[in-house]
Amino acid sequence: MPLLAVTRDLSPAFEQCQLTHLARQPIDLARARAQHAAYQRCLASLGCQVERLPAGDSLPDCVFVEDCAIVLDEIAVLTRPGAPSRRLEVPAVEAALRPYRPAVHIAAPATIDGGDVLRIGRTLYVGLSTRTTGLAIEQLEGLVGPFGYQVVAVEVRACLHLKSAVTEVAPNLLLVNPAWTGDWVRAFDRLEVDPDEPFAANALRVGDALVYPCAFPGTRARLEARGLDVRPVDVSELAKAEGAVTCCSLVFEAS
Ligand code: CIR
Protein backbone atom coordinates (compact mmCIF):
# COMPACT_ATOMS: atom_id res chain seq x y z
CA MET A 1 0.00 0.00 0.00
CA PRO A 2 1.47 3.43 -0.91
CA LEU A 3 2.69 5.61 1.92
CA LEU A 4 1.61 9.21 1.71
CA ALA A 5 3.42 12.05 3.49
CA VAL A 6 1.36 15.22 3.76
CA THR A 7 3.60 18.26 4.20
CA ARG A 8 3.03 22.00 3.98
CA ASP A 9 5.33 24.69 2.68
CA LEU A 10 6.87 27.23 5.02
CA SER A 11 4.97 30.44 5.55
CA PRO A 12 6.67 33.76 4.71
CA ALA A 13 5.66 34.66 8.29
CA PHE A 14 7.65 31.72 9.76
CA GLU A 15 9.73 34.01 11.97
CA GLN A 16 6.57 34.96 13.90
CA CYS A 17 6.12 31.32 14.99
CA GLN A 18 4.87 30.37 18.44
CA LEU A 19 7.63 29.80 20.99
CA THR A 20 7.17 28.29 24.45
CA HIS A 21 10.51 27.03 25.74
CA LEU A 22 12.97 28.71 23.37
CA ALA A 23 14.12 32.30 23.03
CA ARG A 24 13.38 33.91 19.67
CA GLN A 25 16.34 34.03 17.32
CA PRO A 26 16.67 35.12 13.71
CA ILE A 27 15.62 32.46 11.19
CA ASP A 28 17.10 32.25 7.71
CA LEU A 29 13.94 31.56 5.69
CA ALA A 30 15.77 30.51 2.53
CA ARG A 31 17.83 28.05 4.54
CA ALA A 32 14.74 26.78 6.37
CA ARG A 33 13.06 26.19 2.98
CA ALA A 34 16.11 24.31 1.69
CA GLN A 35 16.16 22.15 4.82
CA HIS A 36 12.45 21.46 4.47
CA ALA A 37 12.93 20.46 0.82
CA ALA A 38 15.73 18.07 1.84
CA TYR A 39 13.43 16.61 4.50
CA GLN A 40 10.78 16.03 1.82
CA ARG A 41 13.39 14.37 -0.41
CA CYS A 42 14.37 12.12 2.48
CA LEU A 43 10.73 11.04 2.87
CA ALA A 44 10.52 10.39 -0.89
CA SER A 45 13.72 8.30 -0.74
CA LEU A 46 12.00 6.14 1.87
CA GLY A 47 9.13 5.41 -0.50
CA CYS A 48 6.67 8.13 0.50
CA GLN A 49 4.60 9.93 -2.04
CA VAL A 50 5.07 13.48 -0.75
CA GLU A 51 2.15 15.87 -0.98
CA ARG A 52 3.01 19.57 -0.60
CA LEU A 53 0.25 21.85 0.59
CA PRO A 54 0.71 25.54 -0.17
CA ALA A 55 1.68 27.70 2.80
CA GLY A 56 -0.74 30.03 4.52
CA ASP A 57 0.79 33.51 4.20
CA SER A 58 -0.52 34.52 7.62
CA LEU A 59 -0.07 31.13 9.30
CA PRO A 60 3.49 31.24 10.73
CA ASP A 61 3.51 27.65 12.00
CA CYS A 62 1.70 25.94 9.11
CA VAL A 63 4.75 23.81 8.20
CA PHE A 64 4.10 21.80 11.38
CA VAL A 65 1.19 19.78 9.97
CA GLU A 66 1.46 17.04 12.57
CA ASP A 67 -0.30 19.23 15.11
CA CYS A 68 -3.46 19.52 12.97
CA ALA A 69 -4.48 15.87 12.78
CA ILE A 70 -4.18 12.40 14.27
CA VAL A 71 -4.34 10.00 11.34
CA LEU A 72 -5.34 6.47 12.26
CA ASP A 73 -6.01 3.53 9.95
CA GLU A 74 -9.76 4.09 10.19
CA ILE A 75 -10.29 7.84 10.63
CA ALA A 76 -8.54 11.19 10.76
CA VAL A 77 -9.13 13.21 13.92
CA LEU A 78 -8.78 16.91 13.13
CA THR A 79 -7.44 18.74 16.15
CA ARG A 80 -8.17 22.09 17.71
CA PRO A 81 -4.61 23.32 18.33
CA GLY A 82 -3.80 24.82 21.71
CA ALA A 83 -2.29 28.02 20.26
CA PRO A 84 -5.16 30.15 18.88
CA SER A 85 -2.89 31.41 16.07
CA ARG A 86 -2.67 27.84 14.75
CA ARG A 87 -6.36 26.97 14.52
CA LEU A 88 -6.75 28.28 10.97
CA GLU A 89 -4.13 25.77 9.81
CA VAL A 90 -6.58 22.90 10.19
CA PRO A 91 -8.97 23.31 7.21
CA ALA A 92 -6.26 22.85 4.54
CA VAL A 93 -4.95 19.74 6.31
CA GLU A 94 -8.49 18.40 6.60
CA ALA A 95 -9.04 18.90 2.85
CA ALA A 96 -5.83 16.98 2.12
CA LEU A 97 -6.86 14.06 4.35
CA ARG A 98 -10.52 13.77 3.28
CA PRO A 99 -9.82 11.63 0.18
CA TYR A 100 -8.18 9.02 2.43
CA ARG A 101 -10.02 8.94 5.76
CA PRO A 102 -13.41 9.90 7.22
CA ALA A 103 -12.82 13.12 9.19
CA VAL A 104 -13.92 13.68 12.79
CA HIS A 105 -13.20 16.72 14.96
CA ILE A 106 -12.17 17.79 18.43
CA ALA A 107 -14.67 20.46 19.48
CA ALA A 108 -14.25 23.73 21.43
CA PRO A 109 -13.38 24.49 24.13
CA ALA A 110 -11.11 21.42 24.13
CA THR A 111 -7.62 21.80 22.63
CA ILE A 112 -5.08 19.25 21.49
CA ASP A 113 -1.93 19.28 19.32
CA GLY A 114 -1.06 16.20 17.28
CA GLY A 115 2.48 16.45 18.67
CA ASP A 116 1.07 15.29 22.00
CA VAL A 117 -0.27 12.01 20.60
CA LEU A 118 2.02 9.00 20.47
CA ARG A 119 0.49 5.87 18.97
CA ILE A 120 1.94 2.56 20.09
CA GLY A 121 -0.05 -0.34 18.66
CA ARG A 122 -3.69 0.21 19.59
CA THR A 123 -2.88 2.66 22.41
CA LEU A 124 -2.73 6.42 22.06
CA TYR A 125 -0.59 8.01 24.76
CA VAL A 126 -1.60 11.66 25.01
CA GLY A 127 0.50 14.28 26.76
CA LEU A 128 -1.19 16.75 29.07
CA SER A 129 0.97 19.61 27.85
CA THR A 130 0.30 23.34 27.80
CA ARG A 131 -1.47 22.70 24.44
CA THR A 132 -3.64 19.68 25.27
CA THR A 133 -6.52 19.58 27.73
CA GLY A 134 -8.15 16.75 29.66
CA LEU A 135 -11.40 17.56 27.87
CA ALA A 136 -9.77 16.92 24.49
CA ILE A 137 -8.45 13.59 25.77
CA GLU A 138 -11.99 12.64 26.84
CA GLN A 139 -13.32 13.61 23.41
CA LEU A 140 -10.56 11.66 21.69
CA GLU A 141 -11.46 8.57 23.71
CA GLY A 142 -15.06 8.86 22.51
CA LEU A 143 -13.95 9.20 18.88
CA VAL A 144 -11.38 6.40 18.72
CA GLY A 145 -12.72 3.98 21.35
CA PRO A 146 -15.24 2.44 18.91
CA PHE A 147 -12.30 1.43 16.68
CA GLY A 148 -10.61 -0.43 19.52
CA TYR A 149 -8.05 2.18 20.58
CA GLN A 150 -7.23 2.83 24.21
CA VAL A 151 -6.36 6.39 25.20
CA VAL A 152 -3.94 7.01 28.08
CA ALA A 153 -3.27 10.50 29.43
CA VAL A 154 0.36 11.02 30.51
CA GLU A 155 2.33 13.89 31.95
CA VAL A 156 4.68 16.09 29.93
CA ARG A 157 7.43 17.93 31.79
CA ALA A 158 9.36 21.01 30.71
CA CYS A 159 8.95 20.55 26.97
CA LEU A 160 6.43 21.51 24.29
CA HIS A 161 4.84 18.20 23.31
CA LEU A 162 4.84 14.57 24.39
CA LYS A 163 6.77 13.69 21.23
CA SER A 164 9.50 16.18 22.21
CA ALA A 165 10.13 13.76 25.08
CA VAL A 166 9.48 10.32 23.59
CA THR A 167 8.96 8.61 20.23
CA GLU A 168 8.81 4.98 19.13
CA VAL A 169 11.91 4.07 17.09
CA ALA A 170 11.21 0.36 16.52
CA PRO A 171 8.31 -1.87 17.57
CA ASN A 172 7.92 -1.30 21.32
CA LEU A 173 11.31 0.45 21.60
CA LEU A 174 11.06 4.04 22.83
CA LEU A 175 13.61 6.82 22.47
CA VAL A 176 13.19 8.92 25.62
CA ASN A 177 14.46 11.93 27.46
CA PRO A 178 13.86 10.59 30.99
CA ALA A 179 13.84 14.10 32.49
CA TRP A 180 10.75 14.98 30.43
CA THR A 181 8.73 11.76 30.66
CA GLY A 182 6.79 10.09 33.45
CA ASP A 183 7.15 6.57 34.81
CA TRP A 184 4.79 5.06 32.24
CA VAL A 185 7.71 4.70 29.79
CA ARG A 186 9.28 2.12 32.11
CA ALA A 187 6.84 -0.48 30.80
CA PHE A 188 8.78 -0.36 27.49
CA ASP A 189 12.20 -1.22 26.21
CA ARG A 190 13.92 2.19 26.14
CA LEU A 191 16.86 3.98 24.69
CA GLU A 192 17.78 7.22 26.45
CA VAL A 193 19.00 10.31 24.65
CA ASP A 194 22.59 11.42 25.17
CA PRO A 195 22.40 13.65 28.30
CA ASP A 196 24.02 16.50 26.33
CA GLU A 197 21.17 16.35 23.76
CA PRO A 198 17.87 16.96 25.59
CA PHE A 199 15.95 17.66 22.36
CA ALA A 200 17.04 14.38 20.75
CA ALA A 201 14.02 12.17 21.54
CA ASN A 202 12.03 13.15 18.45
CA ALA A 203 12.60 10.68 15.60
CA LEU A 204 10.29 10.01 12.67
CA ARG A 205 9.88 6.35 11.84
CA VAL A 206 9.11 5.57 8.20
CA GLY A 207 9.02 1.84 7.60
CA ASP A 208 12.16 0.53 9.29
CA ALA A 209 14.12 3.78 8.88
CA LEU A 210 14.38 6.83 11.14
CA VAL A 211 14.40 10.36 9.80
CA TYR A 212 16.54 12.04 12.41
CA PRO A 213 18.16 15.46 13.03
CA CYS A 214 21.90 15.56 12.36
CA ALA A 215 22.24 17.85 15.41
CA PHE A 216 22.31 14.88 17.80
CA PRO A 217 25.36 12.72 17.00
CA GLY A 218 25.59 11.23 20.49
CA THR A 219 22.03 9.91 20.42
CA ARG A 220 22.39 8.91 16.78
CA ALA A 221 25.32 6.69 17.79
CA ARG A 222 23.09 5.04 20.43
CA LEU A 223 20.39 4.41 17.80
CA GLU A 224 22.88 2.96 15.35
CA ALA A 225 24.41 0.78 18.06
CA ARG A 226 20.94 -0.80 18.36
CA GLY A 227 21.05 -1.58 14.64
CA LEU A 228 18.61 1.14 13.61
CA ASP A 229 18.75 2.68 10.14
CA VAL A 230 19.19 6.43 10.77
CA ARG A 231 18.70 8.92 7.93
CA PRO A 232 20.11 12.25 9.11
CA VAL A 233 18.52 15.53 8.05
CA ASP A 234 19.57 19.07 8.90
CA VAL A 235 16.57 20.81 10.45
CA SER A 236 18.46 23.47 12.44
CA GLU A 237 16.36 26.41 11.17
CA LEU A 238 13.09 24.54 11.86
CA ALA A 239 14.36 23.75 15.36
CA LYS A 240 14.57 27.50 16.07
CA ALA A 241 10.76 27.49 15.73
CA GLU A 242 10.57 24.64 18.25
CA GLY A 243 9.86 22.14 15.49
CA ALA A 244 11.44 18.76 14.95
CA VAL A 245 11.12 15.90 12.47
CA THR A 246 7.76 14.33 13.36
CA CYS A 247 5.94 17.66 13.25
CA CYS A 248 6.65 18.43 9.58
CA SER A 249 4.61 15.57 8.08
CA LEU A 250 1.65 13.26 8.47
CA VAL A 251 2.73 9.88 7.14
CA PHE A 252 0.12 7.17 6.59
CA GLU A 253 -0.98 4.41 4.25
CA ALA A 254 -3.03 5.95 1.49
CA SER A 255 -5.71 3.31 1.42
C1 CIR B 1 4.45 25.77 18.00
O1 CIR B 1 4.87 26.27 19.04
O2 CIR B 1 3.29 25.38 17.88
C2 CIR B 1 5.40 25.67 16.83
N1 CIR B 1 6.29 26.78 16.82
C3 CIR B 1 6.18 24.37 16.88
C4 CIR B 1 5.31 23.16 16.75
C5 CIR B 1 6.09 21.90 16.71
N2 CIR B 1 5.21 20.80 16.58
C6 CIR B 1 5.48 19.57 17.01
O3 CIR B 1 6.51 19.33 17.60
N3 CIR B 1 4.56 18.65 16.82
Side-chain angles (χ1 to χ4, degrees), residues 17-20 61 64 66-67 83 86 113-115 131 160-161 164 202 241-244 246-247:
C17 61
Q18 290 287 325
L19 288 174
T20 308
D61 284 300
F64 301 124
E66 171 185 58
D67 294 317
R86 300 203 54 192
D113 283 8
R131 300 285 175 86
L160 182 58
H161 287 129
S164 320
N202 187 271
E242 236 169 322
T246 62
C247 42

Side-chain angles (χ1 to χ4, degrees), residues 14 16-21 24 60-68 81-83 85-86 89 113-117 131 160-164 202 238-249:
F14 188 49
Q16 276 89 60
C17 61
Q18 290 287 325
L19 288 174
T20 308
H21 297 278
R24 198 166 294 279
D61 284 300
C62 67
V63 67
F64 301 124
V65 285
E66 171 185 58
D67 294 317
C68 294
S85 69
R86 300 203 54 192
E89 295 173 24
D113 283 8
D116 276 321
V117 182
R131 300 285 175 86
L160 182 58
H161 287 129
L162 178 63
K163 279 186 278 191
S164 320
N202 187 271
L238 301 166
K240 292 177 184 172
E242 236 169 322
V245 285
T246 62
C247 42
C248 295
S249 58

